[in-house]
Amino acid sequence: TCVEGKQTKLGRNISSSVEKIFPAEKGLLAVPIHRTIALPRAQQQGKTLFQTDPDHSVTHEFRRLAKEFEKRLASRTAEG
């Protein structure tokens, strides 16, 4: 996972978490998460981006990322 452009602390944290869950697939998530002011704005309100701006392009990127996680977790579960 990457935050498009310069990687932010949030981007590094997400990447680190993903690498802990999927160590053999380090750096292989194909869903970019673009930088946007909408995310810190949601955090300031104590809400998620899904609550404050459900139709934002970055909200859709996070949905795609979640679907990729689900797919990979299902695959790992099926492997045993």
Side-chain angles (χ1 to χ4, degrees):
T1 302
C2 72
V3 175
E4 286 298 306
K6 185 170 71 172
Q7 192 175 34
T8 63
K9 183 176 180 181
L10 175 61
R12 286 189 301 275
N13 288 342
I14 291 170
S15 293
S16 176
S17 296
V18 169
E19 290 168 4
K20 287 177 186 173
I21 296 168
F22 301 105
E25 303 173 46
K26 187 174 182 176
L28 295 180
L29 289 176
V31 179
I33 305 295
H34 292 84
R35 295 179 74 173
T36 178
I37 190 68
L39 190 55
R41 193 178 314 137
Q43 291 172 331
Q44 287 175 342
Q45 294 176 28
K47 297 182 179 182
T48 68
L49 191 58
F50 300 97
Q51 294 168 310
T52 60
D53 208 344
D55 294 321
H56 194 284
S57 61
V58 173
T59 307
H60 294 296
E61 291 171 355
F62 276 108
R63 284 189 185 104
R64 286 193 299 275
L65 179 63
K67 287 180 183 186
E68 186 170 344
F69 268 121
E70 289 175 343
K71 180 180 169 185
R72 289 182 183 217
L73 288 172
S75 174
R76 290 184 77 185
T77 302
E79 291 173 2

